[in-house]
Amino acid sequence: MKVPVVERIMRANDVLADEVRQTLRENGIVALNIMGAPGSGKTSLIEQTIARLGETTVAVIEGDIATTLDADRLSKLGVQVVQINTGGSCHLDAGMVKMALAQMKLSTLDLLFIENVGNLVCPAEFDIGEYKKVLVSSVPEGHDKVQKYPLMFRLVDAVVLNKTDLMQHVDFDLGVFRSSLTDINSRAPLFEVSCKTADNLDSWVAWVRSQVTS
Ligand code: MG
Ligand code: ZN
C-alpha cells in the first residue's frame, strides 16, 4: 500500500515544479538547484559566485531545516534572500519553492540560486522547477562519494569539487573521484575549486554566466 502514496506525492510535486518552471520562464530567470552534503560549501560557493557575477541580478532561496544563519550571511551581499525553514524536512520540494517565489520581486532577476538542504540523498529525487542541478562535493568528504551516492551524481548537470586547498592534508584520490564521475555521469562538467583561496572559481563562474546568457 505504500507505493501508491509515494507516487501520489511525487506526482503532486511534479505539477508544482512545472508551475515553478513556468513562473521562472515567464520572468526570464535561470534557477540553479545547489545540492550537497552539510559543510560542503554550498553557501560559500554562492557567496563567492555572487561576488564575481558583476551585472547579473541575483537572488537566493535558502533551504534550511531550522536556522537563518546562511540567509543572514547572504543578505549581507545586498541581494534578495528568502529563507525556507523546512521544519525538519531533509529536502526542498516544489511547493516550498513556489511559496518562496511568491514573496520575491521576480521581474528584475536574471539568476536564482536555490540552496537545498544539506543532504546527499533525497534532494536529488525532488524536481523543484530548477533549470539545472548542481552538486557541491568537497575534498574532506572523500573521493568515494561518487560511488556511494550514485543517484545524486548521476542526475546533476554540473559538479563542483570544493576545498581543493585541503587536498594535501587528507587522503583524497583525485584520479578516483574524476574517473568515477566520468563513469556515472559523463555530461556533467567538473569544477575543482577552493572557495577559501578562490582557486579556479573563474571557470565555474563562467559556466554559471553561460547558463544565464544561453
Ligand atoms: Mg549552507
Ligand atoms: Zn528528504
Side-chain angles (χ1 to χ4, degrees):
M1 288 306 284
K2 259 186 173 165
V3 174
V5 176
V6 171
E7 277 178 355
R8 203 150 57 226
I9 291 168
M10 295 309 275
R11 215 178 309 129
N13 183 74
D14 288 348
V15 169
L16 291 169
D18 284 341
E19 289 178 26
V20 167
R21 215 175 334 269
Q22 190 174 341
T23 300
L24 294 171
R25 199 181 302 128
E26 283 167 3
N27 287 279
I29 301 167
V30 165
L32 301 178
N33 179 4
I34 310 292
M35 300 180 288
S40 57
K42 298 179 294 299
T43 310
S44 297
L45 184 73
I46 293 168
E47 276 176 334
Q48 294 286 359
T49 308
I50 290 173
R52 285 167 174 76
L53 273 172
E55 70 289 351
T56 311
T57 311
V58 187
V60 184
I61 294 175
E62 263 300 319
D64 262 306
I65 290 176
T67 71
T68 61
L69 289 171
D70 290 353
D72 294 344
R73 262 171 79 180
L74 288 159
S75 63
K76 290 190 182 119
L77 298 173
V79 299
Q80 272 192 86
V81 181
V82 172
Q83 174 81 41
I84 299 173
N85 278 134
T86 62
S89 176
C90 48
H91 57 268
L92 292 179
D93 63 35
M96 297 175 194
V97 174
K98 189 185 171 186
M99 282 193 284
L101 288 179
Q103 298 177 46
M104 303 178 83
K105 222 193 290 163
L106 300 179
S107 56
T108 56
L109 284 185
D110 304 312
L111 176 63
L112 174 64
F113 290 108
I114 305 173
E115 182 178 339
N116 218 307
V117 178
N119 181 342
L120 278 176
V121 186
C122 51
E125 295 169 44
F126 284 81
D127 181 359
I128 55 172
E130 77 281 297
Y131 177 59
K132 297 255 168 101
K133 294 179 195 287
V134 175
L135 177 58
V136 183
S137 193
S138 68
V139 165
E141 294 168 53
H143 54 251
D144 59 356
K145 289 302 161 292
V146 184
Q147 290 150 302
K148 291 180 89 166
Y149 298 93
L151 178 67
M152 180 65 91
F153 280 88
R154 190 177 302 124
L155 288 177
V156 296
D157 302 292
V159 175
V160 175
L161 177 65
N162 187 25
K163 310 193 190 182
T164 52
D165 54 300
L166 296 178
M167 198 94 68
Q168 54 190 316
H169 304 293
V170 294
D171 288 327
F172 185 91
D173 191 327
L174 183 57
V176 169
F177 186 90
R178 284 175 178 164
S179 64
S180 38
L181 179 61
T182 309
D183 288 346
I184 242 165
N185 183 348
S186 55
R187 72 195 166 81
L190 170 64
F191 302 98
E192 299 165 8
V193 310
S194 166
C195 288
K196 192 170 178 79
T197 66
D199 192 44
N200 208 30
L201 279 172
D202 289 348
S203 61
W204 153 252
V205 173
W207 182 86
V208 172
R209 205 175 270 127
S210 73
Q211 303 308 312
V212 177
T213 52
S214 63

